[in-house]
Amino acid sequence: SLRAAVNSQDLVIDSGAASSLRPVQPGHCLDMVAASSQYIDSGVTVTGGTSVDISFTINPDGIFNGLLGCGGDINTNKGFLLNHVAGNVAISSADGTTLFGSSFTGLTISAGTWYECRLVWDGATSTPTLTVNGVDYVTAGTISGWAGASGENLKFGEASGAYFDGKLGFCKYDGVLQYNNDFSTGTSAIDSSGNGNDGTLVNGPT
């Protein structure tokens, strides 16, 4: 493999079937404390039933829960969640009436290791794909479509009141926002996509 530093991130070019250009550890990141309910509020509402392509890098500390969320109460506000439950990474969605959920088969995430995660899902009646460090994982069951988040913003490190504990780096919602580890202001995640969607650092992650 080849290693190079680009935009303050270490990048690896791997040979083989899972070849990719991907960050393995961000140059600067946020240390998220779950007990303090810390997360990034993107200020962007995800439209229900549309496709999502969302990426982020994490390094968990011990037990962690919320990874990604769009929706408060998932049945009332609808939306989707990505979280860590009982040793499994799972995705849940809701259409305002029914809650759907399934874990990603064969995926284990451990403390003290950097992971690049990418969630791709068309938002309809399909199986979401979560790519972790270049390996694709699919859910054990089909996740039915979701109706939207009813005004709830996309949040990194929070999923319906569950919070991530560990380091959070690069974040991207394809075509909408991209946080290249620029958290230097202490209050904002700076959007480098050109769309002006700076995120808010909630409850003081540093």
Side-chain angles (χ1 to χ4, degrees), residues 37-61:
S37 304
Q38 296 176 343
Y39 62 95
I40 300 175
D41 187 337
S42 71
V44 172
T45 300
V46 181
T47 303
T50 59
S51 61
V52 292
D53 185 342
I54 300 172
S55 302
F56 54 93
T57 54
I58 56 170
N59 186 334
D61 291 338

Side-chain angles (χ1 to χ4, degrees), residues 36-146:
S36 298
S37 304
Q38 296 176 343
Y39 62 95
I40 300 175
D41 187 337
S42 71
V44 172
T45 300
V46 181
T47 303
T50 59
S51 61
V52 292
D53 185 342
I54 300 172
S55 302
F56 54 93
T57 54
I58 56 170
N59 186 334
D61 291 338
I63 297 174
F64 62 98
N65 293 303
L67 295 173
L68 191 70
C70 189
D73 181 296
I74 197 168
N75 282 309
T76 303
N77 293 338
K78 312 168 190 180
F80 69 92
L81 308 173
L82 185 67
N83 53 21
H84 183 263
V85 180
N88 297 311
V89 177
I91 189 168
S92 304
S93 69
D95 61 8
T97 302
T98 305
L99 176 66
F100 310 93
S102 185
S103 60
F104 290 91
T105 303
L107 174 58
T108 301
I109 292 182
S110 303
T113 300
W114 279 104
Y115 298 95
E116 184 197 44
C117 305
R118 180 185 181 192
L119 175 66
V120 177
W121 182 31
D122 69 6
T125 53
S126 66
T127 302
T129 299
L130 184 66
T131 302
V132 179
N133 287 354
V135 179
D136 292 341
Y137 298 89
V138 295
T139 52
T142 298
I143 301 296
S144 294
W146 54 289

Side-chain angles (χ1 to χ4, degrees), residues 6-11 22-30 56-59 113-116 167-171 179-183:
V6 179
N7 293 334
S8 300
Q9 297 190 47
D10 290 333
L11 299 177
R22 57 182 175 81
V24 293
Q25 180 172 335
H28 180 71
C29 57
L30 292 173
F56 54 93
T57 54
I58 56 170
N59 186 334
T113 300
W114 279 104
Y115 298 95
E116 184 197 44
K167 297 176 178 63
L168 174 67
F170 173 88
C171 301
Y179 305 146
N180 288 332
N181 313 317
D182 187 354
F183 311 117

